[in-house]
Amino acid sequence: MIGVIAKHESTSLLRLPITWMIAAVLACAFAFLFLQQLEVYLTRQAELALLDHPPGLTAWLTTRFIAPASIVTLILGPLFAMRSFSDEFRLETLALWQSSPVSTTALVIGKFLGVTLVLCAALSVTLLMFAGVAWVGKLDWWQVASAMLGLYLLAAACAATGLFFSSLTRHAMVAVLASLATLALVWLIGTASFNAIPIPGLQATSLANHIGGFHQGYLATNDVLYFVLYIALFLVLTIVRLDALRHVNR
Amino acid sequence: MVNDRPILLRATSLSRLISPTARVADISVTLREGDVLGLLGLNGAGKSTTLKMLAGLLVPDGGDVEIDGHSLMEHPLAARAQLGYLPDTPPLYPDMRVAAYLKLAAQLRRVPRKLVKPAVDYALEVCDLTAVAKHRIAALSKGFRQRVGLAQAIIHRPKVILLDEPSSGLDPHQMQSMRTLIKTLGQDAAVIFSTHLLPEAVAVCNHIAVMHNGRIVASELPSDTPVTAETEISEHITQPLLRDDLDTLFTNLVQFGTPKAPVRTLTSKIEQPTPADNINP
């Protein structure tokens, strides 16, 4: 059943012109960032060679390209999830799901997988860029895989956040703005300006603090666990919200 | 021999607060295979809320619903597998094609993979949608959309079918088709459909219940209740009503009749208004 829901969600997304527009913007932004960092690396090769431990091409690209690409994903990711439940409210189609033998958990997980699949497919254009470089040079594919895993997990976190906020309102734009605000906050609490806040463990809740390891090819269990818990939290909140709707007069 | 037919729907004392001044209260319905119940009532009588509770979209404050022996509260998935529901606004995706939408509906209703295509063909044929199977739902007229909504509700051949004003917005020809279809569906299932027109209920149903202010005020009407049968209905009023309520009820329910005269004969069932009665229960 989850597969049926995921397929419906992803095909619904792919039928929307805005999905293709956002994917195009994503691809253009990634291409610009990638070529920019490639050019910087090539022009500074002589300078880098003087360092004790000069970064290789893979390390340069995964840290200098994937990091800003993560920010772009953070901004554009919620746009993929903004309609998931908002449209169900607007079109009054939630009755189809609620009167079917489908559990709320299956519905939420199915929709999450559908959105994440489309978002990750859009992000996979990055792999083509790396493949282009690998054609003329040599890349450490394990480090690329690690960086891409981080990007995919971030995309899944964006999808989960967007899904939750879309379950709160029938207005897709409100869902996007609320998602962006939440993601920005969770990202920024890891930055230096939040160091002064004396809350124990605050830094550990930041997305930014858990994505860096992936870019450097350093896969830490706690980073993976952080993303899994983050995604699970928003999915559970979505399930609770949808179940609560059965208690609300509409 | 009526009692030999299996009970498919049993609702016991359903109640739910709709707003601080309105509630649906004490709704009890038992339907067997072959029963078609018309739920009559004015706008705001509580028909849609009742159907939503029966369909599992709203959790009642009290009472229980059993569908084919499965409690909707304790075993919701098993109960909903035997349920088909058409809300007042059909749950349609405008950008989908009719056949694709019905395929999705069949999959959601757990129709086995091999039987999905036959189920879609069945729904298309029964609802006379074969000619528009490849059309986008957005391009269909209101009548066709209503039929697509009905098709999704019956695609898995449920034992209980709930239809919320299925003929609203249809032209007379489409309305006639819808009535014939509901009658046909009612042969193998238990059907409840809501309407605010007595003639429609009489034309289709073998049971009629009248709702007013969130309560069933008349039930178990004879199946041969004539179209202008205010008196027939009046004799089955089980709940005390205010004179104005009763008057309004019949004036609106019976389109082609003379509602005033029979109401005057119901003095024994009309309460005198009290200050508390000015607020809906």
Side-chain angles (χ1 to χ4, degrees), chain A residues 1 8 15 88 92-93 96-98 100-102 246-250, chain B residues 16-18 52 56-59 80 92-93 95-96 107 109-110:
Chain A
M1 187 54 68
H8 167 71
R15 275 197 299 269
E88 303 285 355
E92 299 188 41
T93 46
L96 176 69
W97 306 93
Q98 289 187 322
S100 298
V102 177
R246 290 184 195 273
H247 296 269
V248 178
N249 292 309
R250 284 162 282 156
Chain B
R16 184 177 171 85
L17 197 66
I18 301 172
K52 282 178 183 173
L57 268 69
L58 282 179
V59 177
R80 280 189 248 149
L92 306 175
Y93 294 99
D95 55 345
M96 287 184 86
Q107 289 172 325
R109 268 57 182 269
R110 298 185 185 277

PDB file of all heavy atoms in Angstrom, chain A residues 1 8 15 88 92-93 96-98 100-102 246-250, chain B residues 16-18 52 56-59 80 92-93 95-96 107 109-110:
ATOM      1  N   MET A   1       0.826  -1.215   0.000  1.00  0.00           N
ATOM      2  CA  MET A   1       0.000   0.000   0.000  1.00  0.00           C
ATOM      3  C   MET A   1       0.865   1.273   0.000  1.00  0.00           C
ATOM      4  O   MET A   1       0.538   2.247  -0.684  1.00  0.00           O
ATOM      5  CB  MET A   1      -0.909  -0.017   1.241  1.00  0.00           C
ATOM      6  CG  MET A   1      -1.916   1.100   1.261  1.00  0.00           C
ATOM      7  SD  MET A   1      -2.932   1.222  -0.206  1.00  0.00           S
ATOM      8  CE  MET A   1      -3.931  -0.264  -0.101  1.00  0.00           C
ATOM      9  N   HIS A   8       1.607   7.248  -6.453  1.00  0.00           N
ATOM     10  CA  HIS A   8       0.599   8.280  -6.739  1.00  0.00           C
ATOM     11  C   HIS A   8       1.158   9.669  -6.449  1.00  0.00           C
ATOM     12  O   HIS A   8       0.984  10.601  -7.236  1.00  0.00           O
ATOM     13  CB  HIS A   8      -0.651   8.025  -5.896  1.00  0.00           C
ATOM     14  CG  HIS A   8      -1.605   9.180  -5.879  1.00  0.00           C
ATOM     15  ND1 HIS A   8      -2.358   9.532  -6.984  1.00  0.00           N
ATOM     16  CD2 HIS A   8      -1.904  10.094  -4.919  1.00  0.00           C
ATOM     17  CE1 HIS A   8      -3.083  10.593  -6.694  1.00  0.00           C
ATOM     18  NE2 HIS A   8      -2.825  10.954  -5.458  1.00  0.00           N
ATOM     19  N   ARG A  15       3.308  15.570 -12.646  1.00  0.00           N
ATOM     20  CA  ARG A  15       2.310  16.145 -13.559  1.00  0.00           C
ATOM     21  C   ARG A  15       2.240  17.664 -13.441  1.00  0.00           C
ATOM     22  O   ARG A  15       1.690  18.336 -14.299  1.00  0.00           O
ATOM     23  CB  ARG A  15       0.926  15.556 -13.278  1.00  0.00           C
ATOM     24  CG  ARG A  15       0.649  14.239 -13.969  1.00  0.00           C
ATOM     25  CD  ARG A  15      -0.838  13.937 -13.980  1.00  0.00           C
ATOM     26  NE  ARG A  15      -1.372  13.815 -12.638  1.00  0.00           N
ATOM     27  CZ  ARG A  15      -1.441  12.674 -11.963  1.00  0.00           C
ATOM     28  NH1 ARG A  15      -1.029  11.559 -12.518  1.00  0.00           N
ATOM     29  NH2 ARG A  15      -1.928  12.617 -10.754  1.00  0.00           N
ATOM     30  N   GLU A  88      -4.785  18.148  -0.825  1.00  0.00           N
ATOM     31  CA  GLU A  88      -5.842  17.214  -0.407  1.00  0.00           C
ATOM     32  C   GLU A  88      -6.955  17.997   0.309  1.00  0.00           C
ATOM     33  O   GLU A  88      -8.134  17.705   0.121  1.00  0.00           O
ATOM     34  CB  GLU A  88      -5.293  16.141   0.544  1.00  0.00           C
ATOM     35  CG  GLU A  88      -4.138  15.328   0.005  1.00  0.00           C
ATOM     36  CD  GLU A  88      -4.528  14.288  -1.019  1.00  0.00           C
ATOM     37  OE1 GLU A  88      -5.728  14.113  -1.263  1.00  0.00           O
ATOM     38  OE2 GLU A  88      -3.611  13.664  -1.591  1.00  0.00           O
ATOM     39  N   GLU A  92     -10.517  18.684  -1.376  1.00  0.00           N
ATOM     40  CA  GLU A  92     -11.412  17.856  -0.544  1.00  0.00           C
ATOM     41  C   GLU A  92     -11.293  16.377  -0.920  1.00  0.00           C
ATOM     42  O   GLU A  92     -12.304  15.661  -1.030  1.00  0.00           O
ATOM     43  CB  GLU A  92     -12.857  18.355  -0.666  1.00  0.00           C
ATOM     44  CG  GLU A  92     -12.994  19.798  -0.197  1.00  0.00           C
ATOM     45  CD  GLU A  92     -14.438  20.259  -0.112  1.00  0.00           C
ATOM     46  OE1 GLU A  92     -15.280  19.492   0.333  1.00  0.00           O
ATOM     47  OE2 GLU A  92     -14.692  21.414  -0.483  1.00  0.00           O
ATOM     48  N   THR A  93     -10.078  15.931  -1.167  1.00  0.00           N
ATOM     49  CA  THR A  93      -9.835  14.529  -1.540  1.00  0.00           C
ATOM     50  C   THR A  93      -9.379  13.677  -0.353  1.00  0.00           C
ATOM     51  O   THR A  93      -9.198  12.469  -0.512  1.00  0.00           O
ATOM     52  CB  THR A  93      -8.755  14.446  -2.643  1.00  0.00           C
ATOM     53  OG1 THR A  93      -7.669  15.292  -2.289  1.00  0.00           O
ATOM     54  CG2 THR A  93      -9.312  14.873  -3.981  1.00  0.00           C
ATOM     55  N   LEU A  96     -11.178  10.447   0.394  1.00  0.00           N
ATOM     56  CA  LEU A  96     -10.854   9.213  -0.342  1.00  0.00           C
ATOM     57  C   LEU A  96      -9.915   8.336   0.492  1.00  0.00           C
ATOM     58  O   LEU A  96     -10.086   7.123   0.575  1.00  0.00           O
ATOM     59  CB  LEU A  96     -10.196   9.571  -1.679  1.00  0.00           C
ATOM     60  CG  LEU A  96      -9.712   8.400  -2.528  1.00  0.00           C
ATOM     61  CD1 LEU A  96     -10.888   7.609  -3.066  1.00  0.00           C
ATOM     62  CD2 LEU A  96      -8.847   8.883  -3.690  1.00  0.00           C
ATOM     63  N   TRP A  97      -8.925   8.971   1.103  1.00  0.00           N
ATOM     64  CA  TRP A  97      -7.936   8.234   1.904  1.00  0.00           C
ATOM     65  C   TRP A  97      -8.536   7.813   3.232  1.00  0.00           C
ATOM     66  O   TRP A  97      -8.310   6.707   3.702  1.00  0.00           O
ATOM     67  CB  TRP A  97      -6.696   9.097   2.148  1.00  0.00           C
ATOM     68  CG  TRP A  97      -6.098   9.630   0.903  1.00  0.00           C
ATOM     69  CD1 TRP A  97      -6.355  10.847   0.311  1.00  0.00           C
ATOM     70  CD2 TRP A  97      -5.155   8.971   0.039  1.00  0.00           C
ATOM     71  NE1 TRP A  97      -5.639  10.969  -0.841  1.00  0.00           N
ATOM     72  CE2 TRP A  97      -4.891   9.845  -1.036  1.00  0.00           C
ATOM     73  CE3 TRP A  97      -4.521   7.741   0.085  1.00  0.00           C
ATOM     74  CZ2 TRP A  97      -4.017   9.526  -2.070  1.00  0.00           C
ATOM     75  CZ3 TRP A  97      -3.648   7.415  -0.928  1.00  0.00           C
ATOM     76  CH2 TRP A  97      -3.393   8.300  -1.997  1.00  0.00           C
ATOM     77  N   GLN A  98      -9.283   8.733   3.837  1.00  0.00           N
ATOM     78  CA  GLN A  98      -9.784   8.457   5.190  1.00  0.00           C
ATOM     79  C   GLN A  98     -10.888   7.399   5.209  1.00  0.00           C
ATOM     80  O   GLN A  98     -11.116   6.780   6.240  1.00  0.00           O
ATOM     81  CB  GLN A  98     -10.298   9.753   5.824  1.00  0.00           C
ATOM     82  CG  GLN A  98      -9.170  10.712   6.172  1.00  0.00           C
ATOM     83  CD  GLN A  98      -9.654  11.904   6.949  1.00  0.00           C
ATOM     84  OE1 GLN A  98     -10.725  12.423   6.681  1.00  0.00           O
ATOM     85  NE2 GLN A  98      -8.871  12.354   7.915  1.00  0.00           N
ATOM     86  N   SER A 100     -10.841   4.861   3.058  1.00  0.00           N
ATOM     87  CA  SER A 100     -10.243   3.639   2.509  1.00  0.00           C
ATOM     88  C   SER A 100      -9.533   2.865   3.618  1.00  0.00           C
ATOM     89  O   SER A 100      -9.176   3.446   4.649  1.00  0.00           O
ATOM     90  CB  SER A 100      -9.211   3.992   1.428  1.00  0.00           C
ATOM     91  OG  SER A 100      -9.833   4.658   0.372  1.00  0.00           O
ATOM     92  N   PRO A 101      -9.327   1.572   3.397  1.00  0.00           N
ATOM     93  CA  PRO A 101      -8.591   0.799   4.414  1.00  0.00           C
ATOM     94  C   PRO A 101      -7.092   1.082   4.366  1.00  0.00           C
ATOM     95  O   PRO A 101      -6.277   0.210   4.091  1.00  0.00           O
ATOM     96  CB  PRO A 101      -8.914  -0.649   4.039  1.00  0.00           C
ATOM     97  CG  PRO A 101      -9.258  -0.619   2.602  1.00  0.00           C
ATOM     98  CD  PRO A 101      -9.838   0.722   2.310  1.00  0.00           C
ATOM     99  N   VAL A 102      -6.757   2.336   4.583  1.00  0.00           N
ATOM    100  CA  VAL A 102      -5.359   2.781   4.562  1.00  0.00           C
ATOM    101  C   VAL A 102      -5.075   3.450   5.903  1.00  0.00           C
ATOM    102  O   VAL A 102      -5.812   4.365   6.294  1.00  0.00           O
ATOM    103  CB  VAL A 102      -5.122   3.812   3.428  1.00  0.00           C
ATOM    104  CG1 VAL A 102      -3.698   4.324   3.446  1.00  0.00           C
ATOM    105  CG2 VAL A 102      -5.451   3.211   2.078  1.00  0.00           C
ATOM    106  N   ARG A 246      -9.719  13.694  12.493  1.00  0.00           N
ATOM    107  CA  ARG A 246     -10.944  12.904  12.636  1.00  0.00           C
ATOM    108  C   ARG A 246     -11.764  13.376  13.838  1.00  0.00           C
ATOM    109  O   ARG A 246     -12.895  12.954  14.022  1.00  0.00           O
ATOM    110  CB  ARG A 246     -10.602  11.418  12.808  1.00  0.00           C
ATOM    111  CG  ARG A 246     -10.054  10.774  11.555  1.00  0.00           C
ATOM    112  CD  ARG A 246      -9.842   9.292  11.769  1.00  0.00           C
ATOM    113  NE  ARG A 246      -9.008   8.696  10.745  1.00  0.00           N
ATOM    114  CZ  ARG A 246      -9.464   8.221   9.591  1.00  0.00           C
ATOM    115  NH1 ARG A 246     -10.735   8.264   9.325  1.00  0.00           N
ATOM    116  NH2 ARG A 246      -8.644   7.688   8.709  1.00  0.00           N
ATOM    117  N   HIS A 247     -11.156  14.219  14.664  1.00  0.00           N
ATOM    118  CA  HIS A 247     -11.872  14.738  15.835  1.00  0.00           C
ATOM    119  C   HIS A 247     -12.354  16.171  15.612  1.00  0.00           C
ATOM    120  O   HIS A 247     -12.926  16.781  16.505  1.00  0.00           O
ATOM    121  CB  HIS A 247     -10.973  14.691  17.073  1.00  0.00           C
ATOM    122  CG  HIS A 247     -10.591  13.295  17.460  1.00  0.00           C
ATOM    123  ND1 HIS A 247     -11.326  12.547  18.346  1.00  0.00           N
ATOM    124  CD2 HIS A 247      -9.581  12.496  17.050  1.00  0.00           C
ATOM    125  CE1 HIS A 247     -10.781  11.351  18.479  1.00  0.00           C
ATOM    126  NE2 HIS A 247      -9.718  11.289  17.694  1.00  0.00           N
ATOM    127  N   VAL A 248     -12.050  16.715  14.431  1.00  0.00           N
ATOM    128  CA  VAL A 248     -12.380  18.121  14.161  1.00  0.00           C
ATOM    129  C   VAL A 248     -13.526  18.177  13.154  1.00  0.00           C
ATOM    130  O   VAL A 248     -13.477  17.503  12.125  1.00  0.00           O
ATOM    131  CB  VAL A 248     -11.152  18.865  13.581  1.00  0.00           C
ATOM    132  CG1 VAL A 248     -11.512  20.311  13.264  1.00  0.00           C
ATOM    133  CG2 VAL A 248      -9.989  18.793  14.545  1.00  0.00           C
ATOM    134  N   ASN A 249     -14.537  18.982  13.454  1.00  0.00           N
ATOM    135  CA  ASN A 249     -15.633  19.163  12.494  1.00  0.00           C
ATOM    136  C   ASN A 249     -15.138  19.964  11.313  1.00  0.00           C
ATOM    137  O   ASN A 249     -14.535  21.015  11.475  1.00  0.00           O
ATOM    138  CB  ASN A 249     -16.790  19.907  13.159  1.00  0.00           C
ATOM    139  CG  ASN A 249     -17.442  19.063  14.217  1.00  0.00           C
ATOM    140  OD1 ASN A 249     -17.799  17.927  13.958  1.00  0.00           O
ATOM    141  ND2 ASN A 249     -17.570  19.597  15.421  1.00  0.00           N
ATOM    142  N   ARG A 250     -15.382  19.419  10.101  1.00  0.00           N
ATOM    143  CA  ARG A 250     -14.971  20.141   8.890  1.00  0.00           C
ATOM    144  C   ARG A 250     -16.169  20.379   8.002  1.00  0.00           C
ATOM    145  O   ARG A 250     -17.096  19.635   8.011  1.00  0.00           O
ATOM    146  CB  ARG A 250     -13.926  19.329   8.112  1.00  0.00           C
ATOM    147  CG  ARG A 250     -12.561  19.373   8.745  1.00  0.00           C
ATOM    148  CD  ARG A 250     -11.713  18.248   8.233  1.00  0.00           C
ATOM    149  NE  ARG A 250     -12.061  17.008   8.869  1.00  0.00           N
ATOM    150  CZ  ARG A 250     -11.845  15.803   8.334  1.00  0.00           C
ATOM    151  NH1 ARG A 250     -11.322  15.707   7.150  1.00  0.00           N
ATOM    152  NH2 ARG A 250     -12.160  14.698   8.975  1.00  0.00           N
TER     153      ARG A 250
ATOM    154  N   ARG B  16     -22.343  13.463  18.459  1.00  0.00           N
ATOM    155  CA  ARG B  16     -21.160  14.285  18.258  1.00  0.00           C
ATOM    156  C   ARG B  16     -21.548  15.763  18.350  1.00  0.00           C
ATOM    157  O   ARG B  16     -22.556  16.186  17.785  1.00  0.00           O
ATOM    158  CB  ARG B  16     -20.524  14.030  16.890  1.00  0.00           C
ATOM    159  CG  ARG B  16     -19.258  14.798  16.701  1.00  0.00           C
ATOM    160  CD  ARG B  16     -18.553  14.536  15.409  1.00  0.00           C
ATOM    161  NE  ARG B  16     -17.490  15.499  15.292  1.00  0.00           N
ATOM    162  CZ  ARG B  16     -16.284  15.357  15.818  1.00  0.00           C
ATOM    163  NH1 ARG B  16     -15.972  14.240  16.432  1.00  0.00           N
ATOM    164  NH2 ARG B  16     -15.381  16.308  15.715  1.00  0.00           N
ATOM    165  N   LEU B  17     -20.715  16.502  19.056  1.00  0.00           N
ATOM    166  CA  LEU B  17     -20.926  17.941  19.168  1.00  0.00           C
ATOM    167  C   LEU B  17     -20.414  18.596  17.885  1.00  0.00           C
ATOM    168  O   LEU B  17     -19.268  18.378  17.493  1.00  0.00           O
ATOM    169  CB  LEU B  17     -20.160  18.478  20.381  1.00  0.00           C
ATOM    170  CG  LEU B  17     -20.562  19.847  20.906  1.00  0.00           C
ATOM    171  CD1 LEU B  17     -21.973  19.809  21.473  1.00  0.00           C
ATOM    172  CD2 LEU B  17     -19.576  20.306  21.977  1.00  0.00           C
ATOM    173  N   ILE B  18     -21.280  19.351  17.211  1.00  0.00           N
ATOM    174  CA  ILE B  18     -20.866  20.009  15.972  1.00  0.00           C
ATOM    175  C   ILE B  18     -20.374  21.418  16.268  1.00  0.00           C
ATOM    176  O   ILE B  18     -19.386  21.879  15.728  1.00  0.00           O
ATOM    177  CB  ILE B  18     -22.044  20.066  14.967  1.00  0.00           C
ATOM    178  CG1 ILE B  18     -22.527  18.640  14.660  1.00  0.00           C
ATOM    179  CG2 ILE B  18     -21.621  20.747  13.683  1.00  0.00           C
ATOM    180  CD1 ILE B  18     -23.803  18.599  13.845  1.00  0.00           C
ATOM    181  N   LYS B  52     -20.439  11.112   7.820  1.00  0.00           N
ATOM    182  CA  LYS B  52     -18.993  11.143   8.095  1.00  0.00           C
ATOM    183  C   LYS B  52     -18.637  10.247   9.275  1.00  0.00           C
ATOM    184  O   LYS B  52     -17.595   9.593   9.278  1.00  0.00           O
ATOM    185  CB  LYS B  52     -18.534  12.583   8.376  1.00  0.00           C
ATOM    186  CG  LYS B  52     -18.376  13.416   7.112  1.00  0.00           C
ATOM    187  CD  LYS B  52     -17.982  14.840   7.442  1.00  0.00           C
ATOM    188  CE  LYS B  52     -17.891  15.676   6.171  1.00  0.00           C
ATOM    189  NZ  LYS B  52     -17.682  17.096   6.462  1.00  0.00           N
ATOM    190  N   GLY B  56     -16.275   6.869   9.098  1.00  0.00           N
ATOM    191  CA  GLY B  56     -15.011   6.884   9.834  1.00  0.00           C
ATOM    192  C   GLY B  56     -14.213   8.157   9.654  1.00  0.00           C
ATOM    193  O   GLY B  56     -13.078   8.253  10.112  1.00  0.00           O
ATOM    194  N   LEU B  57     -14.778   9.149   8.985  1.00  0.00           N
ATOM    195  CA  LEU B  57     -14.058  10.413   8.810  1.00  0.00           C
ATOM    196  C   LEU B  57     -14.087  11.254  10.069  1.00  0.00           C
ATOM    197  O   LEU B  57     -13.199  12.075  10.295  1.00  0.00           O
ATOM    198  CB  LEU B  57     -14.667  11.220   7.655  1.00  0.00           C
ATOM    199  CG  LEU B  57     -14.048  10.996   6.278  1.00  0.00           C
ATOM    200  CD1 LEU B  57     -14.355   9.612   5.763  1.00  0.00           C
ATOM    201  CD2 LEU B  57     -14.522  12.026   5.293  1.00  0.00           C
ATOM    202  N   LEU B  58     -15.135  11.074  10.853  1.00  0.00           N
ATOM    203  CA  LEU B  58     -15.246  11.777  12.128  1.00  0.00           C
ATOM    204  C   LEU B  58     -15.418  10.745  13.236  1.00  0.00           C
ATOM    205  O   LEU B  58     -16.172   9.779  13.076  1.00  0.00           O
ATOM    206  CB  LEU B  58     -16.460  12.711  12.119  1.00  0.00           C
ATOM    207  CG  LEU B  58     -16.337  14.038  11.390  1.00  0.00           C
ATOM    208  CD1 LEU B  58     -17.650  14.795  11.481  1.00  0.00           C
ATOM    209  CD2 LEU B  58     -15.210  14.883  11.955  1.00  0.00           C
ATOM    210  N   VAL B  59     -14.722  10.969  14.312  1.00  0.00           N
ATOM    211  CA  VAL B  59     -14.856  10.080  15.470  1.00  0.00           C
ATOM    212  C   VAL B  59     -16.034  10.574  16.312  1.00  0.00           C
ATOM    213  O   VAL B  59     -16.063  11.743  16.694  1.00  0.00           O
ATOM    214  CB  VAL B  59     -13.562  10.079  16.313  1.00  0.00           C
ATOM    215  CG1 VAL B  59     -13.737   9.225  17.554  1.00  0.00           C
ATOM    216  CG2 VAL B  59     -12.401   9.579  15.482  1.00  0.00           C
ATOM    217  N   ARG B  80     -13.446  -0.412   7.129  1.00  0.00           N
ATOM    218  CA  ARG B  80     -13.436   0.467   5.953  1.00  0.00           C
ATOM    219  C   ARG B  80     -13.257  -0.307   4.653  1.00  0.00           C
ATOM    220  O   ARG B  80     -13.616   0.184   3.591  1.00  0.00           O
ATOM    221  CB  ARG B  80     -12.332   1.516   6.104  1.00  0.00           C
ATOM    222  CG  ARG B  80     -12.750   2.677   7.000  1.00  0.00           C
ATOM    223  CD  ARG B  80     -11.716   3.766   6.939  1.00  0.00           C
ATOM    224  NE  ARG B  80     -11.010   3.904   8.189  1.00  0.00           N
ATOM    225  CZ  ARG B  80      -9.748   4.290   8.309  1.00  0.00           C
ATOM    226  NH1 ARG B  80      -9.031   4.547   7.243  1.00  0.00           N
ATOM    227  NH2 ARG B  80      -9.191   4.396   9.491  1.00  0.00           N
ATOM    228  N   LEU B  92     -12.054  14.044  -6.021  1.00  0.00           N
ATOM    229  CA  LEU B  92     -11.458  13.797  -7.335  1.00  0.00           C
ATOM    230  C   LEU B  92     -10.185  14.610  -7.531  1.00  0.00           C
ATOM    231  O   LEU B  92     -10.075  15.729  -7.024  1.00  0.00           O
ATOM    232  CB  LEU B  92     -12.452  14.182  -8.435  1.00  0.00           C
ATOM    233  CG  LEU B  92     -13.837  13.534  -8.363  1.00  0.00           C
ATOM    234  CD1 LEU B  92     -14.741  14.104  -9.444  1.00  0.00           C
ATOM    235  CD2 LEU B  92     -13.734  12.025  -8.492  1.00  0.00           C
ATOM    236  N   TYR B  93      -9.246  14.031  -8.281  1.00  0.00           N
ATOM    237  CA  TYR B  93      -8.035  14.748  -8.670  1.00  0.00           C
ATOM    238  C   TYR B  93      -8.231  15.228 -10.108  1.00  0.00           C
ATOM    239  O   TYR B  93      -8.226  14.403 -11.033  1.00  0.00           O
ATOM    240  CB  TYR B  93      -6.816  13.838  -8.580  1.00  0.00           C
ATOM    241  CG  TYR B  93      -6.499  13.422  -7.169  1.00  0.00           C
ATOM    242  CD1 TYR B  93      -6.907  12.191  -6.686  1.00  0.00           C
ATOM    243  CD2 TYR B  93      -5.816  14.268  -6.313  1.00  0.00           C
ATOM    244  CE1 TYR B  93      -6.653  11.806  -5.388  1.00  0.00           C
ATOM    245  CE2 TYR B  93      -5.548  13.908  -5.012  1.00  0.00           C
ATOM    246  CZ  TYR B  93      -5.963  12.675  -4.556  1.00  0.00           C
ATOM    247  OH  TYR B  93      -5.705  12.313  -3.259  1.00  0.00           O
ATOM    248  N   ASP B  95      -6.477  16.573 -12.349  1.00  0.00           N
ATOM    249  CA  ASP B  95      -5.456  16.344 -13.383  1.00  0.00           C
ATOM    250  C   ASP B  95      -5.289  14.862 -13.730  1.00  0.00           C
ATOM    251  O   ASP B  95      -4.496  14.517 -14.601  1.00  0.00           O
ATOM    252  CB  ASP B  95      -4.115  16.952 -12.956  1.00  0.00           C
ATOM    253  CG  ASP B  95      -3.658  16.436 -11.611  1.00  0.00           C
ATOM    254  OD1 ASP B  95      -4.489  15.858 -10.896  1.00  0.00           O
ATOM    255  OD2 ASP B  95      -2.472  16.597 -11.276  1.00  0.00           O
ATOM    256  N   MET B  96      -6.040  13.988 -13.074  1.00  0.00           N
ATOM    257  CA  MET B  96      -5.935  12.557 -13.396  1.00  0.00           C
ATOM    258  C   MET B  96      -6.971  12.174 -14.443  1.00  0.00           C
ATOM    259  O   MET B  96      -8.013  12.812 -14.556  1.00  0.00           O
ATOM    260  CB  MET B  96      -6.160  11.699 -12.146  1.00  0.00           C
ATOM    261  CG  MET B  96      -5.012  11.722 -11.176  1.00  0.00           C
ATOM    262  SD  MET B  96      -5.314  10.600  -9.782  1.00  0.00           S
ATOM    263  CE  MET B  96      -4.710   9.060 -10.458  1.00  0.00           C
ATOM    264  N   GLN B 107      -6.909   0.192  -5.931  1.00  0.00           N
ATOM    265  CA  GLN B 107      -5.712  -0.218  -5.169  1.00  0.00           C
ATOM    266  C   GLN B 107      -5.842   0.187  -3.705  1.00  0.00           C
ATOM    267  O   GLN B 107      -5.457  -0.564  -2.813  1.00  0.00           O
ATOM    268  CB  GLN B 107      -4.461   0.402  -5.793  1.00  0.00           C
ATOM    269  CG  GLN B 107      -4.115  -0.217  -7.138  1.00  0.00           C
ATOM    270  CD  GLN B 107      -3.001   0.528  -7.851  1.00  0.00           C
ATOM    271  OE1 GLN B 107      -2.896   1.749  -7.763  1.00  0.00           O
ATOM    272  NE2 GLN B 107      -2.178  -0.198  -8.582  1.00  0.00           N
ATOM    273  N   ARG B 109      -8.516   0.441  -2.064  1.00  0.00           N
ATOM    274  CA  ARG B 109      -9.537  -0.405  -1.429  1.00  0.00           C
ATOM    275  C   ARG B 109      -9.097  -1.853  -1.377  1.00  0.00           C
ATOM    276  O   ARG B 109      -9.903  -2.756  -1.136  1.00  0.00           O
ATOM    277  CB  ARG B 109     -10.856  -0.273  -2.185  1.00  0.00           C
ATOM    278  CG  ARG B 109     -11.781   0.793  -1.650  1.00  0.00           C
ATOM    279  CD  ARG B 109     -11.127   2.147  -1.622  1.00  0.00           C
ATOM    280  NE  ARG B 109     -11.956   3.193  -1.064  1.00  0.00           N
ATOM    281  CZ  ARG B 109     -12.759   3.955  -1.798  1.00  0.00           C
ATOM    282  NH1 ARG B 109     -12.831   3.801  -3.096  1.00  0.00           N
ATOM    283  NH2 ARG B 109     -13.468   4.891  -1.205  1.00  0.00           N
ATOM    284  N   ARG B 110      -7.816  -2.072  -1.623  1.00  0.00           N
ATOM    285  CA  ARG B 110      -7.205  -3.405  -1.501  1.00  0.00           C
ATOM    286  C   ARG B 110      -7.820  -4.443  -2.441  1.00  0.00           C
ATOM    287  O   ARG B 110      -7.942  -5.622  -2.090  1.00  0.00           O
ATOM    288  CB  ARG B 110      -7.263  -3.908  -0.052  1.00  0.00           C
ATOM    289  CG  ARG B 110      -6.480  -3.008   0.905  1.00  0.00           C
ATOM    290  CD  ARG B 110      -6.436  -3.573   2.295  1.00  0.00           C
ATOM    291  NE  ARG B 110      -5.787  -2.644   3.223  1.00  0.00           N
ATOM    292  CZ  ARG B 110      -4.484  -2.543   3.387  1.00  0.00           C
ATOM    293  NH1 ARG B 110      -3.666  -3.298   2.676  1.00  0.00           N
ATOM    294  NH2 ARG B 110      -3.984  -1.681   4.257  1.00  0.00           N
TER     295      ARG B 110
END
